[in-house]
Amino acid sequence: MSVGILAVIAAVPIALALVLMVCFRWPATKAMPLAWLATALAGVAVWRLPVGYIAALSIQGVITAVGILIIVFGAILILYTLRDSGGMETIQHGMQNISPDMRVQAVIIGYLFAAFIEGAAGFGTPAALAAPLLLALGFPPLAAAVVCLAFNSFPVSFGAVGTPIVLGLTFLKDLVLNAVSSGTPGVNFSGMESFGFLVGRWVTLMHLPMVFILPVFMLGFISRFFGPNRNWSEGFAAWKFCLFAAGAFAAPYFGFAWFLGPEFPALIGGLVGLGVVVWGAGRRIAVPRDVWTFGSQGQWDPEWTGTVESAAEGSRFEAHMSQFRAWLPYVLIGIILVVTRVPELGLKAWLSSHTISFQGILGYESVSGSIAYLYLPGTIPFTLVAILTVFIHGMPADKVKAAWVDSVKRMKNPAIALFFAVALVSIFRGSGIADTALNPNGYPSMPLAMAQALSELVGRGWPMFAAFIGGLGSFIVGSNTVSNLLFAEFQWGMAAQLDLSRQLIVAAQVVGGAMGNMVCIHNIVAVCAVVGLSGMEGAILKRTFWPFLLYGVVVGILVTLMSFVFLPHLF
């Protein structure tokens, strides 16, 4: 069977999920089980995978989903603990004193705070933490989710202390070392570590335009689709503040990537940018003169709201404690994430070693799963800090109980959606196994078939589309790192076949995997859970598609220019 036909068949489950959620507004709890069933049928009928193998891959997906749900639970628990301790209202009071303008708040929380959390943790954590903060400040839940998902893009390539590059490009090691040892012209680096360093440099250049463009676009987007006057201009009016914030983030982001490597650009960029911008906003530097809000909640579209209420309009929040005590849980989260993610400090290896492992699921040796229950952010630091907050904020027992009970109740819908979504992903990834007993036709995996079919269509125009393949990977598997593991070798092969720069095309893959976080089903389900929008996944996806498309077009144009005009001879 041709790659083109395989690609069409592989795309059917994805198209089915999109049509059901976006066009028919089905919740993910109903759409994803049907998409999983379509994937399983394609695996059995076309790829000729054994039914037992499909079942094993599905169980593997459920195990992975449990890890994601632990993160979601921890994020929800932090939200409800701060709600019931009075800490959240104190934070709201402090943010209103910095600026009551919701454009400014979106940049500080959704852009910079989330970038710092991404740099430290990854795993979809930033949107799960930042969106509830915006919700508490009076944002419509749908707007909070869209803003945080869109902004969780350019930091992602360097998320979790550089994991998408450091680990995501692992399968390129032999190809890089062969190029070095064979004396390939233009290879002026020593090995895999240097190759990752160079890729990280190009990644920052590809992200850089959108670091400045995206905040302006997103503020215009929310004022157009969520503002009381439904126009772009009110959001665009904050362009000076957006550029101020982007510059504060970009300087350390760019500097660390170019001179120190891929581990810390997002983390330091977010931390430094957050400090500079909060200081500047307090002094009205580049802050718009007028104050913009989402207007009267009575005029909001019912689609914008969920089961978690936004702050009441016109609320004047009270401080129940000092700002230091209120923010201390988030400070502890940031510190613990850094300490537990930097390998040199020793805790990362120790925490990662504590796992619940499932080897040879249903007798298939190639199928295994594990849950690193201590390394997952949902456990340490989220749940740990939620427990510590009880003592830091002096919470009475009845409020502690209410926070935990409400958090557990909120897990039902995201659990159903994620179990089937991640099981689908597991079948997608496992369908191309190099084992004739399991894959008798030797077909490529479902996502690789789609990538190969696209490459045959676009030919020399590949630089324009390379990032979209990375985005496709993240959309399907929910991770920039895993998208790179899936497609980095393929991208290298395409570059070699078309005589393009390997560095640039692999960097485009990394950038695409980052922008794919905007439309990733896993992340959307997770953020829906924490802002009370379970069942509204299609409404979010319909809106995050546009910044995703803009991002891909800008990056595609830049990669094309770099490949054919500015750096045509770069290895």
Side-chain angles (χ1 to χ4, degrees):
M1 191 174 294
S2 71
V3 170
I5 295 175
L6 289 175
V8 171
I9 295 170
V12 167
I14 296 174
L16 177 64
L18 289 175
V19 169
L20 291 176
M21 289 193 295
V22 175
C23 299
F24 292 95
R25 300 193 176 190
W26 280 32
T29 52
K30 293 182 178 179
M32 294 316 300
L34 283 180
W36 167 83
L37 180 60
T39 306
L41 291 175
V44 172
V46 179
W47 269 257
R48 301 300 177 94
L49 305 175
V51 173
Y53 181 58
I54 294 288
L57 290 172
S58 299
I59 294 171
Q60 180 190 57
V62 170
I63 294 168
T64 303
V66 170
I68 299 172
L69 288 167
I70 290 172
I71 298 172
V72 173
F73 174 76
I76 294 173
L77 184 60
I78 284 288
L79 170 64
Y80 282 143
T81 300
L82 288 173
R83 176 200 68 183
D84 293 337
S85 73
M88 187 58 73
E89 187 172 1
T90 304
I91 290 171
Q92 292 166 323
H93 173 78
M95 283 299 298
Q96 279 193 336
N97 287 338
I98 293 174
S99 175
D101 192 314
M102 291 181 167
R103 296 167 298 187
V104 172
Q105 295 169 358
V107 171
I108 291 175
I109 300 296
Y111 184 105
L112 296 168
F113 173 73
F116 166 70
I117 296 299
E118 174 62 41
F123 288 99
T125 304
L129 279 183
L133 273 175
L134 293 180
L135 185 71
L137 292 169
F139 281 59
L142 190 64
V146 169
V147 165
C148 291
L149 285 167
F151 281 149
N152 190 32
S153 46
F154 45 82
V156 173
S157 295
F158 304 99
V161 200
T163 298
I165 292 177
V166 175
L167 294 182
L169 303 183
T170 298
F171 293 157
L172 291 182
K173 182 177 181 179
D174 290 341
L175 296 172
V176 172
L177 294 179
N178 287 340
V180 172
S181 62
S182 63
T184 302
V187 176
N188 57 358
F189 47 86
S190 57
M192 183 62 201
E193 184 174 346
S194 296
F195 181 76
F197 189 100
L198 293 173
V199 166
R201 287 180 168 183
W202 302 123
V203 165
T204 57
L205 285 179
M206 293 175 191
H207 276 307
L208 199 58
M210 291 306 294
V211 168
F212 288 87
I213 294 170
L214 190 62
V216 179
F217 175 82
M218 286 309 301
L219 293 191
F221 189 90
I222 62 172
S223 69
R224 168 61 182 86
F225 293 100
F226 298 98
N229 298 317
R230 302 293 198 278
N231 60 51
W232 292 86
S233 60
E234 291 178 339
F236 290 160
W239 66 271
K240 291 181 182 178
F241 186 77
C242 290
L243 297 186
F244 169 54
F249 170 82
Y253 175 80
F254 192 84
F256 268 76
W258 273 75
F259 300 108
L260 295 174
E263 287 85 1
F264 296 104
L267 191 153
I268 300 299
L271 183 62
V272 171
L274 183 63
V276 169
V277 172
V278 168
W279 174 85
R283 287 156 181 78
R284 307 291 298 171
I285 296 176
V287 173
R289 292 181 180 179
D290 62 311
V291 174
W292 184 87
T293 70
F294 289 94
S296 170
Q297 293 186 13
Q299 301 300 314
W300 289 2
D301 189 317
E303 185 185 51
W304 303 354
T305 59
T307 58
V308 178
E309 293 183 2
S310 300
E313 57 186 293
S315 297
R316 291 308 304 173
F317 302 109
E318 295 182 13
H320 299 274
M321 59 191 75
S322 69
Q323 286 294 320
F324 175 77
R325 280 181 66 200
W327 277 98
L328 186 56
Y330 287 112
V331 173
L332 289 175
I333 286 172
I335 292 172
I336 294 171
L337 283 172
V338 172
V339 169
T340 56
R341 266 57 185 175
V342 177
E344 289 75 14
L345 298 179
L347 281 175
K348 179 177 180 178
W350 183 79
L351 292 173
S352 300
S353 67
H354 290 76
T355 62
I356 300 174
S357 298
F358 303 86
Q359 303 296 326
I361 297 173
L362 298 184
Y364 293 92
E365 294 183 5
S366 62
V367 185
S368 61
S370 64
I371 301 172
Y373 55 92
L374 290 184
Y375 186 69
L376 289 171
T379 307
I380 298 176
F382 292 174
T383 301
L384 172 62
V385 170
I387 294 171
L388 293 176
T389 301
V390 173
F391 303 99
I392 294 170
H393 290 180
M395 293 177 65
D398 60 328
K399 293 195 172 183
V400 175
K401 179 181 177 181
W404 280 78
V405 169
D406 287 349
S407 299
V408 171
K409 286 180 179 178
R410 291 281 303 284
M411 294 305 295
K412 177 184 174 182
N413 286 341
I416 295 171
L418 281 170
F419 284 152
F420 284 98
V422 186
L424 178 156
V425 167
S426 189
I427 297 171
F428 257 67
R429 293 175 59 198
S431 57
I433 186 171
D435 184 335
T436 54
L438 299 179
N439 184 11
N441 294 320
Y443 287 157
S445 67
M446 295 181 188
L448 190 55
M450 289 189 282
Q452 289 176 349
L454 179 61
S455 70
E456 292 178 1
L457 285 174
V458 302
R460 290 287 291 175
W462 187 251
M464 188 69 204
F465 296 91
F468 283 108
I469 292 299
L472 172 67
S474 286
F475 169 75
I476 294 172
V477 303
S479 163
N480 191 358
T481 301
V482 179
S483 175
N484 294 342
L485 290 171
L486 274 177
F487 289 132
E489 288 177 287
F490 170 73
Q491 297 272 21
W492 175 289
M494 283 299 301
Q497 179 182 327
L498 298 173
D499 195 25
L500 300 168
S501 167
R502 278 76 154 175
Q503 292 179 48
L504 294 181
I505 298 303
V506 171
Q509 159 64 37
V510 176
V511 172
M515 74 187 194
N517 271 255
M518 300 185 196
V519 292
C520 162
I521 296 296
H522 298 190
N523 289 349
I524 291 174
V525 170
V527 78
C528 279
V530 297
V531 298
L533 287 172
S534 293
M536 297 294 294
E537 294 83 6
I540 291 177
L541 185 58
K542 183 168 63 176
R543 289 166 173 84
T544 56
F545 169 78
W546 298 109
F548 169 78
L549 180 63
L550 172 66
Y551 213 118
V553 170
V554 170
V555 171
I557 292 170
L558 184 58
V559 176
T560 300
L561 291 173
M562 294 170 75
S563 296
F564 295 117
V565 180
F566 299 118
L567 299 162
H569 303 298
L570 180 71
F571 173 79

Coordinates of all heavy atoms in Angstrom, one line a residue, residues 246-311:
A246 N 8.6 41.5 25.9 CA 9.3 40.6 25.0 C 10.8 40.8 25.1 O 11.6 39.9 25.1 CB 8.8 40.7 23.6
G247 N 11.2 42.1 25.1 CA 12.6 42.4 25.2 C 13.2 41.9 26.5 O 14.3 41.4 26.6
A248 N 12.5 42.1 27.6 CA 13.0 41.6 29.0 C 13.2 40.1 29.0 O 14.1 39.6 29.6 CB 12.0 42.1 30.0
F249 N 12.3 39.4 28.3 CA 12.4 38.0 28.2 C 13.5 37.5 27.2 O 14.3 36.6 27.4 CB 11.1 37.3 27.8 CG 11.1 35.9 27.4 CD1 11.1 34.9 28.4 CD2 11.2 35.5 26.1 CE1 11.2 33.6 28.1 CE2 11.3 34.1 25.8 CZ 11.3 33.2 26.8
A250 N 13.5 38.2 26.0 CA 14.3 37.7 24.9 C 15.8 37.9 25.2 O 16.6 37.1 24.7 CB 14.0 38.5 23.6
A251 N 16.2 38.9 25.9 CA 17.7 39.2 26.1 C 18.3 38.0 26.8 O 19.3 37.4 26.3 CB 17.9 40.5 26.8
P252 N 17.8 37.6 28.0 CA 18.4 36.4 28.6 C 18.2 35.1 27.9 O 19.0 34.2 27.9 CB 17.8 36.4 30.0 CG 16.6 37.2 29.9 CD 16.8 38.2 28.9
Y253 N 17.0 35.0 27.3 CA 16.6 33.8 26.5 C 17.6 33.6 25.4 O 18.2 32.5 25.2 CB 15.2 34.0 26.0 CG 14.6 33.0 25.0 CD1 14.1 31.8 25.5 CD2 14.6 33.2 23.7 CE1 13.5 30.9 24.7 CE2 14.0 32.3 22.8 CZ 13.5 31.1 23.3 OH 12.9 30.2 22.5
F254 N 17.9 34.6 24.6 CA 18.8 34.6 23.5 C 20.2 34.4 24.0 O 21.0 33.5 23.5 CB 18.7 35.9 22.7 CG 19.4 35.8 21.4 CD1 18.7 35.3 20.3 CD2 20.6 36.3 21.2 CE1 19.3 35.2 19.0 CE2 21.3 36.3 19.9 CZ 20.6 35.7 18.9
G255 N 20.6 35.1 25.0 CA 22.0 35.1 25.5 C 22.4 33.7 26.1 O 23.5 33.2 25.8
F256 N 21.5 33.1 26.9 CA 21.8 31.8 27.4 C 21.9 30.7 26.4 O 22.7 29.9 26.4 CB 20.8 31.4 28.5 CG 21.1 31.8 29.9 CD1 21.0 33.2 30.3 CD2 21.6 30.9 30.8 CE1 21.4 33.6 31.6 CE2 22.0 31.3 32.1 CZ 21.9 32.6 32.5
A257 N 21.0 30.8 25.4 CA 21.0 29.8 24.3 C 22.3 29.9 23.5 O 22.8 28.9 23.1 CB 19.8 29.9 23.4
W258 N 22.7 31.1 23.2 CA 23.9 31.3 22.3 C 25.2 31.0 23.0 O 26.2 30.7 22.4 CB 23.8 32.6 21.7 CG 23.0 32.6 20.4 CD1 21.7 32.5 20.3 CD2 23.5 32.6 19.1 NE1 21.2 32.4 19.0 CE2 22.4 32.5 18.2 CE3 24.8 32.6 18.5 CZ2 22.5 32.4 16.8 CZ3 24.9 32.5 17.1 CH2 23.7 32.4 16.3
F259 N 25.3 31.3 24.3 CA 26.6 31.2 25.0 C 26.7 30.1 26.0 O 27.8 29.7 26.4 CB 26.9 32.6 25.6 CG 27.0 33.7 24.6 CD1 26.0 34.6 24.5 CD2 28.0 33.7 23.7 CE1 26.1 35.6 23.6 CE2 28.1 34.7 22.7 CZ 27.1 35.7 22.7
L260 N 25.5 29.6 26.5 CA 25.6 28.6 27.6 C 24.9 27.3 27.3 O 25.1 26.3 28.0 CB 25.0 29.2 28.9 CG 25.8 30.4 29.5 CD1 25.1 31.0 30.7 CD2 27.2 30.0 29.9
G261 N 24.1 27.2 26.3 CA 23.5 25.9 25.9 C 22.0 25.9 26.1 O 21.4 27.0 26.5
P262 N 21.3 24.8 25.8 CA 19.9 24.7 25.8 C 19.2 24.5 27.1 O 17.9 24.4 27.1 CB 19.6 23.6 24.8 CG 20.8 22.6 25.1 CD 22.0 23.5 25.3
E263 N 19.9 24.4 28.2 CA 19.2 24.0 29.4 C 18.4 25.1 30.1 O 17.4 24.9 30.7 CB 20.2 23.5 30.5 CG 20.8 22.1 30.1 CD 22.0 22.1 29.2 OE1 22.3 23.3 28.7 OE2 22.5 21.1 28.8
F264 N 18.9 26.4 30.0 CA 18.3 27.4 30.9 C 17.7 28.6 30.1 O 17.2 29.6 30.8 CB 19.4 28.0 31.8 CG 19.8 26.9 32.8 CD1 21.1 26.3 32.7 CD2 19.0 26.5 33.9 CE1 21.5 25.3 33.5 CE2 19.4 25.6 34.7 CZ 20.7 25.0 34.6
P265 N 17.6 28.7 28.8 CA 17.1 29.9 28.2 C 15.7 30.3 28.6 O 15.4 31.5 29.0 CB 17.1 29.6 26.7 CG 18.2 28.6 26.5 CD 18.2 27.8 27.8
A266 N 14.7 29.3 28.7 CA 13.4 29.6 29.0 C 13.2 29.9 30.5 O 12.5 30.9 30.9 CB 12.4 28.5 28.6
L267 N 13.9 29.2 31.3 CA 13.8 29.3 32.8 C 14.4 30.7 33.2 O 13.7 31.5 33.9 CB 14.6 28.2 33.5 CG 14.5 28.1 35.0 CD1 14.7 26.6 35.4 CD2 15.4 29.0 35.7
I268 N 15.6 31.1 32.7 CA 16.2 32.4 33.1 C 15.4 33.5 32.4 O 15.2 34.6 33.0 CB 17.7 32.4 32.8 CG1 18.4 31.3 33.6 CG2 18.3 33.7 33.1 CD1 18.3 31.4 35.1
G269 N 15.1 33.3 31.1 CA 14.3 34.3 30.4 C 13.0 34.7 31.1 O 12.7 35.8 31.3
G270 N 12.3 33.6 31.6 CA 11.0 33.9 32.3 C 11.2 34.5 33.6 O 10.5 35.4 34.0
L271 N 12.3 34.1 34.3 CA 12.5 34.6 35.7 C 12.9 36.1 35.6 O 12.4 36.9 36.3 CB 13.6 33.8 36.4 CG 13.9 34.2 37.8 CD1 12.7 34.0 38.7 CD2 15.0 33.3 38.4
V272 N 13.9 36.4 34.8 CA 14.4 37.7 34.6 C 13.3 38.6 34.1 O 13.1 39.7 34.5 CB 15.7 37.8 33.8 CG1 16.1 39.2 33.4 CG2 16.8 37.0 34.4
G273 N 12.7 38.1 33.0 CA 11.6 38.9 32.4 C 10.5 39.2 33.4 O 10.0 40.4 33.4
L274 N 10.1 38.3 34.2 CA 9.1 38.5 35.2 C 9.5 39.6 36.2 O 8.7 40.5 36.5 CB 8.8 37.2 35.9 CG 7.6 37.2 36.9 CD1 6.3 37.5 36.3 CD2 7.6 35.8 37.7
G275 N 10.7 39.5 36.7 CA 11.1 40.5 37.7 C 11.2 41.9 37.0 O 10.7 42.9 37.6
V276 N 11.7 42.0 35.8 CA 11.8 43.3 35.2 C 10.5 43.9 34.9 O 10.2 45.1 35.1 CB 12.7 43.2 33.9 CG1 12.6 44.5 33.1 CG2 14.1 42.8 34.2
V277 N 9.6 43.1 34.4 CA 8.3 43.6 33.9 C 7.4 43.9 35.1 O 6.6 44.9 35.1 CB 7.6 42.6 33.0 CG1 6.1 43.0 32.7 CG2 8.4 42.5 31.7
V278 N 7.4 43.1 36.2 CA 6.6 43.5 37.4 C 7.1 44.8 37.9 O 6.3 45.7 38.3 CB 6.7 42.4 38.4 CG1 6.1 42.8 39.8 CG2 5.9 41.1 37.9
W279 N 8.4 44.9 38.0 CA 9.0 46.2 38.5 C 8.6 47.4 37.5 O 8.2 48.4 38.0 CB 10.5 46.1 38.5 CG 11.2 47.4 38.8 CD1 11.5 47.9 40.0 CD2 11.8 48.3 37.8 NE1 12.2 49.1 39.9 CE2 12.3 49.4 38.6 CE3 11.8 48.4 36.5 CZ2 12.9 50.5 38.0 CZ3 12.4 49.4 35.8 CH2 13.0 50.5 36.6
G280 N 8.6 47.1 36.2 CA 8.3 48.2 35.3 C 6.8 48.5 35.3 O 6.4 49.7 35.3
A281 N 6.0 47.5 35.4 CA 4.5 47.8 35.5 C 4.1 48.6 36.7 O 3.2 49.4 36.7 CB 3.8 46.4 35.4
G282 N 4.8 48.3 37.8 CA 4.5 49.0 39.0 C 4.9 50.5 38.9 O 4.3 51.3 39.6
R283 N 5.8 50.8 38.0 CA 6.2 52.2 37.7 C 5.6 52.7 36.5 O 6.0 53.8 35.9 CB 7.7 52.3 37.7 CG 8.3 52.1 39.1 CD 9.7 51.6 39.1 NE 10.2 51.5 40.5 CZ 9.9 50.5 41.3 NH1 9.1 49.5 40.8 NH2 10.4 50.4 42.5
R284 N 4.6 52.0 35.9 CA 3.8 52.4 34.8 C 4.7 52.5 33.5 O 4.3 53.3 32.6 CB 3.1 53.8 35.0 CG 2.3 53.8 36.2 CD 1.0 53.0 36.1 NE 0.2 53.4 35.0 CZ -0.9 52.7 34.6 NH1 -1.2 51.5 35.1 NH2 -1.6 53.2 33.6
I285 N 5.8 51.8 33.4 CA 6.6 51.8 32.2 C 5.9 51.1 31.1 O 5.6 49.9 31.2 CB 8.0 51.2 32.5 CG1 8.8 52.0 33.5 CG2 8.8 51.0 31.2 CD1 10.1 51.4 34.0
A286 N 5.6 51.8 30.0 CA 5.0 51.2 28.8 C 3.6 50.7 29.0 O 3.0 50.1 28.1 CB 5.9 50.1 28.2
V287 N 3.0 50.9 30.2 CA 1.6 50.5 30.5 C 0.6 51.4 29.8 O 0.8 52.7 29.9 CB 1.4 50.5 32.0 CG1 -0.1 50.2 32.3 CG2 2.3 49.4 32.7
P288 N -0.4 50.9 29.2 CA -1.4 51.8 28.5 C -2.0 52.7 29.5 O -2.2 52.4 30.7 CB -2.4 50.8 27.9 CG -1.6 49.5 27.8 CD -0.7 49.5 29.0
R289 N -2.4 53.9 29.0 CA -3.0 54.8 29.9 C -4.4 54.4 30.4 O -4.8 54.6 31.5 CB -3.1 56.2 29.2 CG -1.7 56.9 29.0 CD -1.9 58.2 28.3 NE -0.6 58.8 28.1 CZ -0.4 60.0 27.5 NH1 -1.5 60.7 27.1 NH2 0.8 60.5 27.4
D290 N -5.2 53.8 29.4 CA -6.5 53.4 29.8 C -6.5 52.0 30.4 O -5.5 51.2 30.1 CB -7.4 53.4 28.5 CG -6.9 52.4 27.5 OD1 -5.7 52.5 27.2 OD2 -7.7 51.6 26.9
V291 N -7.4 51.6 31.2 CA -7.5 50.3 31.8 C -8.6 49.5 31.0 O -9.7 49.9 30.8 CB -8.0 50.4 33.3 CG1 -8.2 49.0 33.8 CG2 -6.9 51.1 34.0
W292 N -8.1 48.3 30.5 CA -9.0 47.5 29.7 C -9.4 46.2 30.5 O -8.5 45.6 31.2 CB -8.3 47.1 28.4 CG -9.2 46.2 27.5 CD1 -10.0 46.7 26.6 CD2 -9.3 44.8 27.4 NE1 -10.7 45.7 25.9 CE2 -10.2 44.5 26.5 CE3 -8.7 43.8 28.2 CZ2 -10.6 43.2 26.1 CZ3 -9.0 42.5 27.9 CH2 -9.9 42.2 26.9
T293 N -10.7 45.9 30.4 CA -11.1 44.6 31.1 C -12.1 43.9 30.1 O -12.4 44.4 29.0 CB -11.9 44.9 32.4 OG1 -13.2 45.6 32.0 CG2 -11.1 45.8 33.3
F294 N -12.5 42.8 30.5 CA -13.5 42.0 29.7 C -14.9 42.4 29.8 O -15.8 41.9 29.2 CB -13.4 40.5 30.1 CG -12.1 39.9 29.6 CD1 -11.0 39.8 30.5 CD2 -11.9 39.4 28.3 CE1 -9.8 39.2 30.1 CE2 -10.7 38.8 27.9 CZ -9.7 38.7 28.8
G295 N -15.1 43.5 30.6 CA -16.5 44.1 30.7 C -17.4 43.3 31.6 O -17.0 42.4 32.4
S296 N -18.7 43.6 31.5 CA -19.7 43.0 32.4 C -19.8 41.6 32.2 O -20.0 41.1 31.0 CB -21.0 43.7 32.2 OG -22.0 43.1 32.9
Q297 N -19.8 40.8 33.2 CA -19.9 39.3 33.1 C -21.3 39.0 32.6 O -21.5 37.9 31.9 CB -19.6 38.6 34.4 CG -18.2 38.7 34.8 CD -17.9 37.9 36.1 OE1 -18.7 37.0 36.5 NE2 -16.7 38.1 36.7
G298 N -22.3 39.8 32.8 CA -23.6 39.6 32.3 C -23.7 39.6 30.8 O -24.6 39.1 30.2
Q299 N -22.7 40.2 30.1 CA -22.6 40.3 28.7 C -21.7 39.2 28.0 O -21.6 39.1 26.8 CB -22.1 41.7 28.2 CG -22.9 42.8 28.7 CD -24.3 42.8 28.2 OE1 -24.6 42.5 27.0 NE2 -25.3 43.0 29.1
W300 N -21.1 38.4 28.9 CA -20.3 37.3 28.4 C -21.1 36.2 27.6 O -22.2 35.9 28.1 CB -19.5 36.7 29.5 CG -18.4 37.5 30.1 CD1 -18.1 38.8 29.7 CD2 -17.5 37.1 31.1 NE1 -17.0 39.2 30.5 CE2 -16.7 38.2 31.4 CE3 -17.3 36.0 31.9 CZ2 -15.7 38.2 32.3 CZ3 -16.3 35.9 32.8 CH2 -15.5 37.0 33.1
D301 N -20.5 35.7 26.6 CA -21.1 34.5 25.9 C -21.1 33.3 26.9 O -20.0 33.1 27.6 CB -20.3 34.2 24.7 CG -20.9 33.2 23.8 OD1 -21.5 32.2 24.3 OD2 -20.9 33.3 22.6
P302 N -22.2 32.6 27.1 CA -22.2 31.5 28.0 C -21.1 30.4 27.7 O -20.6 29.7 28.6 CB -23.6 30.8 27.8 CG -24.4 32.0 27.3 CD -23.5 32.9 26.5
E303 N -20.6 30.4 26.4 CA -19.6 29.5 26.0 C -18.2 29.8 26.8 O -17.4 28.9 26.9 CB -19.3 29.5 24.5 CG -18.3 28.5 24.0 CD -18.1 28.6 22.5 OE1 -17.8 29.8 22.1 OE2 -18.2 27.6 21.8
W304 N -18.1 31.0 27.2 CA -16.8 31.4 27.8 C -16.6 30.9 29.2 O -15.5 30.9 29.7 CB -16.7 32.9 27.9 CG -16.8 33.6 26.5 CD1 -16.9 33.1 25.3 CD2 -16.8 35.0 26.4 NE1 -17.0 34.0 24.4 CE2 -17.0 35.3 25.0 CE3 -16.8 36.1 27.2 CZ2 -17.0 36.6 24.4 CZ3 -16.8 37.4 26.7 CH2 -17.0 37.6 25.3
T305 N -17.7 30.5 29.9 CA -17.6 30.2 31.3 C -17.8 28.7 31.5 O -18.2 27.9 30.7 CB -18.7 30.9 32.0 OG1 -20.0 30.5 31.5 CG2 -18.6 32.4 31.9
G306 N -17.3 28.3 32.7 CA -17.4 26.9 33.1 C -17.8 26.7 34.5 O -18.6 27.5 35.0
T307 N -17.4 25.6 35.1 CA -17.8 25.3 36.4 C -17.0 26.0 37.5 O -17.4 26.0 38.7 CB -17.7 23.8 36.7 OG1 -16.4 23.3 36.5 CG2 -18.6 23.0 35.7
V308 N -15.9 26.6 37.1 CA -15.1 27.4 38.1 C -15.4 28.9 37.8 O -15.2 29.4 36.7 CB -13.6 27.2 37.9 CG1 -12.8 28.1 38.9 CG2 -13.3 25.7 38.2
E309 N -15.9 29.6 38.8 CA -16.3 31.0 38.6 C -15.1 31.9 38.5 O -14.1 31.8 39.2 CB -17.2 31.5 39.7 CG -18.6 30.8 39.7 CD -19.5 31.3 40.8 OE1 -19.0 32.3 41.5 OE2 -20.6 30.8 41.0
S310 N -15.2 32.9 37.6 CA -14.2 34.0 37.5 C -14.5 34.9 38.7 O -15.6 34.9 39.3 CB -14.3 34.7 36.2 OG -14.1 33.9 35.1
A311 N -13.5 35.8 39.0 CA -13.7 36.8 40.0 C -14.9 37.7 39.6 O -15.0 38.0 38.4 CB -12.4 37.6 40.2

